[in-house]
Amino acid sequence: MAQKPAIPKGTRDFSPVEMAKRNYIFDTIKSVFVKYGYQPIETPAMENLSTLMGKYGEEGDKLLFKILNSGDFLAKANEQFLTEKNSVKTTTQISEKGLRYDLTVPFARFVVQHQNEITFPFKRYQIQPVWRADRPQKGRYREFYQCDVDVVGSDSLMNEVELIQIVDDVYNALGINVVVKLNNRKILTGIAEIIGEADKIIDITVAIDKLDKIGLDKVNEELRQKNLSEGAIEKLQPIINLAGTNQEKVETLKSVLKTSEVGLKGVSEIESVLEYLATLTITTEVELDLTLARGLNYYTGAIFEVKALDVQIGSITGGGRYDDLTGIFGLKDVSGVGISFGADRIYDVMNTLDLYPKESIVSTQLLFVNFGEKEALYSLKALQHVRAAGIKAELYPDSAKMKKQMAYANKKEILFVAMAGEDEILENKITLKNMSSGEQSLVTVEEAISIIQK
RNA sequence: GUGGUUGUAGCUCAGUUGGUUAGAGCGCCGGAUUGUGGUUCCGGAGGUCGCCGGUUCGAGACCGGUCUUCCACCCCA
């Protein structure tokens, strides 16, 4: 056999059935975004490395897919870097473009570049693939879709509330049980402030995050390993052990952070968001969780994460507020807040729970059997009426054996089959067969339409 | 990036301490049934055993490398 073709690690093909399912997810998400007044944009798959580099931390830079320059790029490379085999420095000379790593940074670039055409507050959504040179695992791909909603140019906490409503709406529509975890970067900053370890905030949250897995003693041990003083660890105890209702957590934080201005600001922000939410009808549970440390590189206020309750998979949605993001591109004082739905992980969750409504994945509803040229032409006319009524219908293109045509309908899970042979043509009718019940009857095209539309 | 794991027909997997022409189930194609699928019966096609190299008289089995899969860490959707 010839060499088997393959696709790169961490990428996937999608069959028609898989596409139907994925489109159902995308359409559902999109319709919610639109319902809240967000508008779509798209940005190129590749960006200049200068806009991408340094936005995701050192780790992120390594995970960027870089695109080789065109032409004789090695001729322009510094010889010393080449002989030193210095990959980092050589890369900057032979590559100036990269594949986008997320949709937030390209969006920030978009906002800055189009600031004079944009009306603020700008509410946009963006559904496009992103690429990461990560090592693939389950629920972790090198090419995957993100569905981002962001609003820039507004400091109002109403935006945070709206985003949680959107999450609630999307997951209700999809039928996935989730919990929204909420945190605030200002609280984390405040905590670091009062224990005098401002630079260790990431180590602290990473350690606290392991509480469920490894227990309190091991968490404290890890904190010691990260060179935190005993006094600092002591002060952290009420925070690590933070429990109870959101209200109780807020009260604890207020007293722990009473000497930190930033910390209290964060607490009051969360309190406001929770208060607003309480006046609305939200079915999703919202939980204050200090261990959320995601995106610390640019989040400055609220931090969100959504986890599926019935499937073990990483977070399926995440986001937060970033006050300074466009600042990197030269536009100051534009605050943004947004979240990103991970379509591929949602897809995995939907599949394991089999949550697709049947009608969302049917392709053809009605197949006309082909008995020959004359009959096919009769069917073609009937098809025009059927399609005009909004029914997805097709004619088997060849006058193959009946058995083969029926098997085709069966395989494609077509709901109804229409047969129009000599007898039917004489009566100006068709024989309509329900493929799941096996029942069939001689009806007019109009009658067939109403049966199918039921 | 670190450590581990996996790879035999389209799919799920057998394959005995290395020993002749590599098997099953499902699926696929054809027939039984010249206007009726999903059941049944009969027949058929399809594999340089992930790839490259090594050990051996002999490798799907052993060794090395490489790619791939999945897992943990890291990070994250």
Side-chain angles (χ1 to χ4, degrees), chain A residues 124-398:
Chain A
R124 75 87 232 226
Y125 73 87
Q126 187 172 356
I127 298 177
Q128 288 190 277
V130 302
W131 295 269
R132 295 184 189 177
D134 215 345
R135 187 173 289 199
Q137 272 179 42
K138 199 191 211 82
R140 166 178 275 186
Y141 308 99
R142 286 187 152 180
E143 178 186 63
F144 60 96
Y145 275 77
Q146 290 193 329
C147 311
D148 275 29
V149 246
D150 292 78
V151 28
V152 293
S154 165
D155 293 326
S156 169
L157 291 173
M158 287 299 161
N159 298 306
E160 273 82 343
V161 174
E162 181 171 280
L163 291 174
I164 293 169
Q165 283 186 280
I166 288 175
V167 168
D168 184 57
D169 247 1
V170 166
Y171 288 111
N172 275 334
L174 292 175
I176 301 175
N177 294 315
V178 297
V179 56
V180 177
K181 304 216 172 192
L182 195 59
N183 193 7
N184 194 296
R185 176 64 197 268
K186 295 189 179 85
I187 294 178
L188 296 177
T189 308
I191 291 168
E193 216 175 87
I194 59 156
I195 63 168
E197 302 271 10
D199 53 326
K200 297 223 172 66
I201 188 61
I202 293 175
D203 289 338
I204 294 170
T205 51
V206 166
I208 297 177
D209 189 31
K210 292 177 185 164
L211 185 63
D212 284 346
K213 254 192 219 166
I214 60 178
L216 182 60
D217 293 346
K218 290 257 175 77
V219 169
N220 286 330
E221 197 176 304
E222 183 163 330
L223 290 170
R224 267 176 222 115
Q225 274 175 10
K226 298 289 183 183
N227 287 323
L228 254 80
S229 70
E230 285 301 324
I233 294 174
E234 189 61 35
K235 283 185 192 161
L236 272 176
Q237 295 311 301
I239 288 159
I240 299 175
N241 287 311
L242 193 69
T245 65
N246 288 333
Q247 194 52 44
E248 286 162 3
K249 287 178 182 173
V250 165
E251 294 308 323
T252 308
L253 285 170
K254 271 184 185 166
S255 72
V256 173
L257 294 169
K258 57 180 176 287
T259 57
S260 165
E261 198 186 322
V262 213
L264 287 178
K265 180 91 193 332
V267 176
S268 92
E269 281 182 17
I270 283 214
E271 203 175 11
S272 301
V273 170
L274 290 173
E275 262 170 36
Y276 297 154
L277 283 173
T279 69
L280 301 167
T281 313
I282 296 276
T283 54
T284 304
E285 187 195 344
V286 178
E287 183 193 326
L288 174 52
D289 183 349
L290 288 188
T291 66
L292 275 197
R294 58 182 322 96
L296 276 182
N297 290 309
Y298 48 73
Y299 291 141
T300 53
I303 304 175
F304 309 104
E305 181 168 290
V306 179
K307 290 206 142 188
L309 290 172
D310 306 321
V311 177
Q312 189 83 39
I313 197 162
S315 77
I316 52 177
T317 293
R321 178 172 286 276
Y322 37 86
D323 288 330
D324 310 327
L325 195 68
T326 57
I328 296 166
F329 299 117
L331 181 61
K332 302 286 181 201
D333 300 324
V334 177
S335 182
V337 59
I339 48 170
S340 176
F341 289 80
D344 296 271
R345 285 188 179 173
I346 292 171
Y347 173 71
D348 288 347
V349 171
M350 296 285 290
N351 279 353
T352 53
L353 266 40
D354 195 22
L355 292 174
Y356 301 97
K358 200 159 187 199
E359 60 276 16
S360 72
I361 49 178
V362 297
S363 51
T364 302
Q365 295 164 279
L366 174 64
L367 173 79
F368 275 81
V369 173
N370 190 326
F371 289 112
E373 198 179 331
K374 199 179 70 188
E375 292 87 346
L377 285 173
Y378 175 82
S379 298
L380 237 30
K381 264 191 242 163
L383 269 165
Q384 286 190 311
H385 288 104
V386 168
R387 287 178 182 141
I391 290 169
K392 292 173 260 185
E394 62 180 304
L395 166 72
Y396 196 89
D398 308 299

Side-chain angles (χ1 to χ4, degrees), chain A residues 49 63-67 97-99 131-134 142:
Chain A
L49 274 182
L63 297 180
L64 285 171
F65 276 108
K66 289 146 193 117
I67 297 168
K97 294 181 289 297
L99 295 175
W131 295 269
R132 295 184 189 177
D134 215 345
R142 286 187 152 180

